Amino acid sequence: MASMTALPSDIIIDNIIPLLSVKEFLNLCAVCKAFLSFADDEVYWRRLTKSTFRLPAQPLREKGWRELYKNLHRAILYTWGSNEEGRLGHHPSNRKVQSPWDVDLPVNQVAVNVVMGRGWSTTVLTASGSLYTWGALSSFHGSYSSYSPNSTSGERAAKLKFPAAYSSTNIIEVSSGRSHVLGLSEEGRIWSWTQDDQPGMFINFIHIDTTTYGSTYYGARRARGTIERVAAGWNHSAALVNGVGIVVWFPTPQGTHGEEGIHVDGELVLGTCYIEGALKPSTVSDEDWAYAKEVGEVTGIMAGDSYLVFLTKPGKVYAVYAEPNMVAGTRPAQLHYFSAPTGQKPMSYISGSFCKFAVFNSDGLVYIGTKDQVQEALVQGPEVEVKSKPTVIPSLQKRGIVAIAFGDYHSLALTAEGKKLRGRGVYNSPFMGNWMNRQRSDSTRLRPANPRSRKITNTLFSISPQRVGTLVRLPWLQAGNMETSQGLRDPVGQYLRNSHNSLAWGGLPTLGHHRGRWDMA
């Protein structure tokens, strides 16, 4: 009788394992020694982790997905900085949180992604697909004034709502601009919130055809017209539409919902419709298709202050203006010096906010860019090779950086091992002074914000002299733009005056504590 062990391993890995639940997969691995080798299959655990916890894109994480899946069930969110109006998830009476405190989420909710509202709020995406926010999405709207003095932060969190017809919607990706939040649902719809006490708006493009996912979101490549990414900028929003390109749109007045949502007139970024292996759409001219093929398939987008930067599969970096009537019909400008040098792996990830962005690759190369460099490239035009070079910080190179978050006056970088580096400096400087990975030799307990969570966080961690904790295997981190009149005083005696200095990260509990050394740039 034929045995399953006689099947080639690639048949099992590619065609059988993806169909198994966790219990079924582990039972299969326990059948025999031959199948036991599948237990650490990174492809399976990566797919399972992403589908279960709705993690943001992590193209640079190659290993450790099984451990990440196991630990994310007990992930904890920590925030610190300016907590005015309770925007960090702590009680509004505690205006300055000077060291990391855990945030008490609503019952049975686990945070998997966090975005800072660039001025007034913190919004969290949970593993169940819900969005919760603290503070207010803009300076004019919010529910924080209704907080009870005795309520916990979980009770104070405002759950972002949907119209009645879409009440069962779950979100898989979230992005925050200065005063609005974008969410991408499991069905492939874009939702936008400008008030946390009003239902979100379903975004529907007037002149651009899009389609929903059906049940294939975590499967193979989706059909042309499905939404791949969303990005909320300072004054605009953007979405990457599969086989169509990057669509940019601008603020729309809050309105009522119909079955077809809110209609917006999106502008299409020229040259962003190419998909490797796909045929030319009948709606695209031969000239535009040839140019799009030269640009390459878009893999990442970053929305800033009146500009948008995107990354393509060949590792090229391009930028466009993000102002009304300035997007469509104009070729994007290539930032030539932001591509990896010849012989190195192409840039594969982009992140940033407001006036700064970063691109990096799996070899550990990290380039930092600013809005000023983007403006220089756009002024000179797409046909001119821009001479402006990115900032290269020695202490960030070859460190396994997988994410970088920017505030106005500070930044955080995360390595694949869960180490964090922090940079500070002056407004709009690419990398605010020195990047540090410094820790005290003594261990310090992260103080729980609510006694009910003390059991979860009663684990030793090392807290750096600059009020930055050390956790392991952080899936994401976020630096906010929270304005204060006085700023926070750090232990070395410097003030961050008028800075936007709120911080948040999601961390996993770990036993013991790290002990490190100074690592100055």
Side-chain angles (χ1 to χ4, degrees):
M1 184 173 64
S3 170
M4 186 174 169
T5 57
L7 291 175
S9 60
D10 57 342
I11 296 294
I12 298 175
I13 292 174
D14 296 338
N15 298 281
I16 297 177
I17 288 180
L19 304 177
L20 303 180
S21 66
V22 179
K23 184 178 180 179
E24 292 169 338
F25 174 69
L26 294 178
N27 286 340
L28 174 66
C29 295
V31 169
C32 62
K33 290 184 178 180
F35 290 166
L36 183 62
S37 62
F38 298 145
D40 292 320
D41 181 62
E42 294 290 350
V43 175
Y44 173 81
W45 291 110
R46 175 172 181 162
R47 182 191 63 82
L48 183 65
T49 303
K50 285 181 172 291
S51 62
T52 303
F53 294 103
R54 308 164 194 273
L55 289 183
Q58 298 186 43
L60 300 184
R61 181 183 291 277
E62 298 177 350
K63 299 180 179 180
W65 286 99
R66 179 178 180 176
E67 190 72 13
L68 186 60
Y69 173 83
K70 180 176 68 175
N71 286 325
L72 274 172
H73 289 279
R74 50 197 176 99
I76 304 171
L77 171 67
Y78 295 92
T79 63
W80 72 101
S82 174
N83 186 50
E84 293 187 10
E85 292 86 37
R87 59 194 174 196
L88 291 181
H90 309 298
H91 197 277
S93 61
N94 188 4
R95 297 180 62 185
K96 296 178 182 179
V97 182
Q98 298 203 30
S99 57
W101 279 48
D102 69 306
V103 176
D104 184 25
L105 292 170
V107 178
N108 297 325
Q109 297 293 334
V110 177
V112 295
N113 197 5
V114 60
V115 291
M116 309 298 287
R118 324 320 304 176
W120 306 284
S121 68
T122 300
T123 301
V124 167
L125 171 64
T126 68
S128 65
S130 299
L131 291 175
Y132 291 89
T133 188
W134 293 270
L137 297 187
S138 75
S139 60
F140 306 105
H141 304 286
S143 58
Y144 54 73
S145 59
S146 63
Y147 287 170
S148 166
N150 298 319
S151 63
T152 68
S153 69
E155 294 167 345
R156 292 197 310 271
K159 184 177 181 179
L160 297 186
K161 298 176 291 187
F162 299 88
Y166 299 94
S167 59
S168 61
T169 298
N170 293 319
I171 297 298
I172 57 175
E173 183 175 321
V174 62
S175 179
S176 181
R178 184 170 185 262
S179 57
H180 74 292
V181 169
L182 289 182
L184 179 61
S185 74
E186 283 183 330
E187 298 79 20
R189 294 188 177 96
I190 303 172
W191 292 88
S192 177
W193 290 266
T194 57
Q195 301 180 40
D196 56 25
D197 55 355
Q198 296 294 322
M201 299 179 292
F202 163 34
I203 302 300
N204 193 5
F205 301 122
I206 297 175
H207 303 296
I208 298 171
D209 293 331
T210 59
T211 185
T212 54
Y213 298 144
S215 60
T216 62
Y217 177 74
Y218 293 107
R221 180 180 296 280
R222 296 178 290 278
R224 183 176 185 271
T226 53
I227 310 297
E228 297 282 341
R229 296 279 185 274
V230 292
W234 208 250
N235 64 322
H236 65 284
S237 300
L240 176 59
V241 183
N242 189 27
V244 175
I246 300 173
V247 182
V248 178
W249 68 100
F250 299 90
T252 301
Q254 187 85 13
T256 57
H257 264 284
E259 288 297 320
E260 297 181 354
I262 297 296
H263 294 275
V264 298
D265 192 7
E267 300 185 35
L268 188 62
V269 178
L270 193 63
T272 58
C273 63
Y274 179 72
I275 295 293
E276 287 188 1
L279 299 176
K280 181 183 76 68
S282 59
T283 55
V284 178
S285 68
D286 291 341
E287 180 182 358
D288 287 347
W289 183 251
Y291 174 66
K293 191 173 182 179
E294 176 186 335
V295 170
E297 181 177 339
V298 178
T299 57
I301 56 177
M302 174 266 160
D305 179 16
S306 300
Y307 72 98
L308 182 138
V309 179
F310 63 92
L311 179 67
T312 66
K313 201 166 185 178
K316 301 177 183 178
V317 182
Y318 291 85
V320 295
Y321 282 116
E323 295 286 357
N325 303 316
M326 297 184 68
V327 177
T330 303
R331 288 190 174 188
Q334 183 179 354
L335 306 179
H336 293 83
Y337 286 93
F338 282 78
S339 296
T342 303
Q344 294 199 29
K345 293 182 179 179
M347 293 301 190
S348 54
Y349 189 65
I350 183 169
S351 65
S353 63
F354 192 36
C355 292
K356 293 177 283 289
F357 64 94
V359 291
F360 28 100
N361 68 5
S362 57
D363 284 339
L365 184 64
V366 181
Y367 285 168
I368 310 301
T370 67
K371 177 182 177 180
D372 291 340
Q373 291 173 311
V374 170
Q375 289 179 327
E376 178 187 352
L378 295 173
V379 167
Q380 294 186 21
E383 304 302 328
V384 178
E385 183 173 326
V386 181
K387 301 299 182 182
S388 180
K389 295 184 178 181
T391 299
V392 179
I393 306 300
S395 57
L396 291 180
Q397 311 305 312
K398 304 296 183 181
R399 298 290 295 272
I401 301 296
V402 296
I404 296 179
F406 296 95
D408 276 357
Y409 300 92
H410 66 288
S411 299
L412 295 175
L414 174 69
T415 70
E417 292 76 24
K419 296 180 180 179
K420 292 165 300 304
L421 306 177
R422 183 185 181 188
R424 296 185 295 115
V426 299
Y427 174 76
N428 208 27
S429 64
F431 258 88
M432 303 151 320
N434 293 319
W435 278 84
M436 293 160 285
N437 175 27
R438 61 180 189 177
Q439 305 155 2
R440 287 196 300 207
S441 58
D442 62 304
S443 60
T444 306
R445 291 183 186 274
L446 285 175
R447 297 175 293 178
N450 188 286
R452 292 185 303 172
S453 61
R454 188 176 301 275
K455 182 177 180 181
I456 299 175
T457 58
N458 194 18
T459 307
L460 294 179
F461 296 90
S462 176
I463 308 299
S464 81
Q466 292 218 332
R467 308 297 190 188
V468 179
T470 301
L471 310 183
V472 295
R473 303 183 192 278
L474 302 183
W476 40 254
L477 76 172
Q478 186 76 206
N481 298 72
M482 305 300 192
E483 298 181 4
T484 69
S485 57
Q486 291 181 313
L488 297 181
R489 182 181 179 87
D490 70 22
V492 296
Q494 296 181 343
Y495 279 97
L496 306 179
R497 295 186 183 275
N498 298 318
S499 65
H500 297 178
N501 54 14
S502 293
L503 304 172
W505 73 51
L508 310 179
T510 179
L511 298 177
H513 63 277
H514 281 311
R515 297 195 178 192
R517 61 178 178 80
W518 285 85
D519 185 8
M520 303 296 293

